[in-house]
Amino acid sequence: MPYPVLPRILSARVHTFGQYLLQRYGQRVHKLALHAGFTCPNRDGVKGHGGCTFCNNVSFSPNAQEPPPLDAQLEAGRTVVAKRTGARRFMGYFQAYTNTYDPLDALRQRYDSVLRHPDVIGLSIGTRPDCVPEAVLDLLASYQAQGKEIWLELGLQSADDRTLERINRGHTFADYRTTALAAAQRGIPVCAHLIIGLPGEGRTAALSSLQQVLEIGVAGLKLHPLHVVQHTRLALDWQRGSYQPLARADYVDICADLVERTPPTVIYHRLTGTASRDILLAPDWCHQKWAVLNAIEAELCRRDSRQGDCCNFSHHQLVSSA
Ligand code: SF4
């Protein structure tokens, strides 16, 4: 096995979100993932039908359980995290599905219910690039004006419209550009989500997506490998052999390439990810999150490089507001 399994200090080579929060707040701040009961317009016909080809839709079934109230989720999450990490400050991470997909008052009510907790310093709002009306951006900007830490997480996945169509995203790169620029105008930091190993994509496509996101200007990035999970169209492709997930070594190599080409001002919120063991079919290596992170760090170490070392952007080209 070429990579060590003990956690290394990735933040010596990558500008991580944990490092950013520690520097800004002088203490550990932990994100608590929340399920606020939203759904998705890519399934109900408003933006598209059928959902993304990789998205597990079990939770959309009529028998899916309602999530617990947000207060209860926060309480449970902070208790576990405080015990494990000692963190005393938290961010509410509206993670599940499309967290801007409701009338403005309903959004405000949910966001406010999390922000009113004194140990919650802000929110991260995960959503689709084509589902963020100006009024929602204004609401987020108003929280920021009150001193809250606010991030808008946009699931772009790829900057190639052919790929976006192939995976049935139901939005285009132009949608992402419009929302990212509208957020930047208000000083709201955007974290772009990119998936490595989408059907028909490899290193070249990943580098191209990064380049296009950087050209628009971005404050943060999240990378993860494409997961094949049960009850998806991607799972059928994988079972038929028409889709092959990336090998771990290839994922690590591409991630290192992306990190080297990312300006040091941009914050990496995530460099890998996994899906629930109950539904994950492939690739099996993505269960081992720390091993993957160690491998990325080891690869950067082997190259004797760090974030921004192969970057051809000057800092004035960035609209980063974080
Ligand atoms: S991945 Fe996100 S945008 Fe795509 S169908 Fe699932 S919830 Fe909707």
Side-chain angles (χ1 to χ4, degrees):
M1 221 245 327
Y3 300 114
V5 291
L6 289 173
R8 289 164 169 255
I9 304 174
L10 191 67
S11 57
R13 295 183 183 275
V14 181
H15 188 192
T16 63
F17 192 52
Q19 186 186 22
Y20 156 78
L21 290 171
L22 187 61
Q23 281 168 358
R24 182 155 188 186
Y25 295 96
Q27 61 182 305
R28 290 189 71 123
V29 179
H30 211 286
K31 279 170 84 171
L32 298 176
L34 301 170
H35 185 339
F38 293 108
T39 58
C40 173
N42 194 25
R43 302 200 57 84
D44 64 10
V46 168
K47 297 287 182 181
H49 292 277
C52 306
T53 59
F54 55 80
C55 179
N56 177 295
N57 61 21
V58 167
S59 299
F60 292 96
S61 75
N63 298 325
Q65 287 186 340
E66 280 286 310
L70 286 171
D71 278 349
Q73 292 181 51
L74 264 179
E75 183 53 36
R78 71 150 73 84
T79 303
V80 170
V81 168
K83 208 168 173 182
R84 203 181 66 219
T85 69
R88 294 286 178 269
R89 291 287 178 273
F90 304 96
M91 287 185 67
Y93 177 24
F94 284 77
Q95 181 179 29
Y97 308 110
T98 305
N99 292 282
T100 53
Y101 187 45
D102 232 354
L104 189 67
D105 284 345
L107 296 177
R108 184 187 286 111
Q109 187 268 329
R110 283 173 166 111
Y111 301 160
D112 284 356
S113 75
V114 174
L115 282 173
R116 72 164 181 250
H117 291 262
D119 56 358
V120 172
I121 59 144
L123 302 177
S124 238
I125 308 290
T127 190
R128 292 167 55 85
D130 59 350
C131 199
V132 192
E134 301 246 331
V136 173
L137 291 173
D138 290 339
L139 176 62
L140 298 183
S142 75
Y143 293 138
Q144 207 175 30
Q146 295 163 29
K148 305 298 184 190
E149 178 79 31
I150 300 295
W151 283 81
L152 181 64
E153 301 202 19
L154 295 180
L156 172 60
Q157 321 311 358
S158 169
D160 188 326
D161 282 343
R162 292 165 304 181
T163 302
L164 294 177
E165 194 173 342
R166 185 168 174 176
I167 61 174
N168 200 40
R169 280 294 290 177
H171 66 73
T172 61
F173 182 61
D175 292 322
Y176 171 83
R177 181 190 292 110
T178 300
T179 300
L181 291 176
Q185 275 175 356
R186 292 163 174 81
I188 300 167
V190 166
C191 174
H193 293 202
L194 296 175
I195 296 179
I196 314 297
L198 287 164
E201 291 204 345
R203 181 189 315 268
T204 305
L207 291 172
S208 171
S209 289
L210 175 73
Q211 182 77 9
Q212 291 181 72
V213 164
L214 292 176
E215 280 170 10
I216 290 170
V218 76
L221 288 166
K222 266 189 183 177
L223 309 179
H224 75 72
L226 183 58
H227 306 135
V228 183
V229 297
Q230 289 174 357
H231 311 301
T232 62
R233 276 180 283 167
L234 184 67
L236 293 176
D237 292 342
W238 174 72
Q239 277 150 2
R240 285 190 208 108
S242 58
Y243 172 72
Q244 279 294 325
L246 283 177
R248 189 180 86 163
D250 292 331
Y251 180 76
V252 167
D253 208 41
I254 293 170
C255 276
D257 285 353
L258 296 181
V259 167
E260 285 178 329
R261 287 158 180 78
T262 303
T265 48
V266 176
I267 299 164
Y268 268 98
H269 292 229
R270 186 201 285 161
L271 281 165
T272 190
T274 190
S276 159
R277 278 186 183 276
D278 302 343
I279 57 170
L280 181 69
L281 298 172
D284 59 357
W285 53 262
C286 73
H287 278 313
Q288 299 149 345
K289 178 183 152 191
W290 276 108
V292 177
L293 292 175
N294 284 340
I296 294 168
E297 197 272 350
E299 177 60 19
L300 290 168
C301 198
R302 186 190 69 74
R303 299 180 188 190
D304 191 22
S305 69
R306 47 185 44 77
Q307 184 174 334
D309 273 4
C310 299
C311 184
N312 55 9
F313 267 77
S314 58
H315 288 190
H316 74 268
Q317 287 175 281
L318 298 174
V319 189
S320 165
S321 54

